[in-house]
Amino acid sequence: MFEFQQFIAFIIGLTIMTMGFWLMIFLISFVLYWATGGAIDLMKEKKAKKNA
């Protein structure tokens, strides 16, 4: 059915794709966390400037 080299290549390719997927999920969540924190900080600054 499959030769050993094809099986190893498939496993390596699957591993690289899985690592890339989880890295993408991590980076997207980090960027969303950073953007949300920045937006909240900006709103707090505007509110403080308005109250002053």
Side-chain angles (χ1 to χ4, degrees):
M1 190 167 169
F2 282 119
E3 293 181 14
F4 184 70
Q5 290 177 341
Q6 290 176 328
F7 177 71
I8 293 297
F10 174 74
I11 295 298
I12 290 171
L14 196 62
T15 302
I16 290 171
M17 286 180 9
T18 304
M19 289 168 61
F21 172 76
W22 286 113
L23 180 64
M24 181 184 67
I25 295 296
F26 171 74
L27 290 176
I28 288 173
S29 63
F30 181 76
V31 168
L32 289 175
Y33 174 75
W34 175 72
T36 304
I40 290 172
D41 192 41
L42 188 63
M43 286 190 295
K44 285 182 181 178
E45 287 179 12
K46 285 185 179 181
K47 186 177 181 181
K49 186 182 277 189
K50 182 180 177 182
N51 289 339

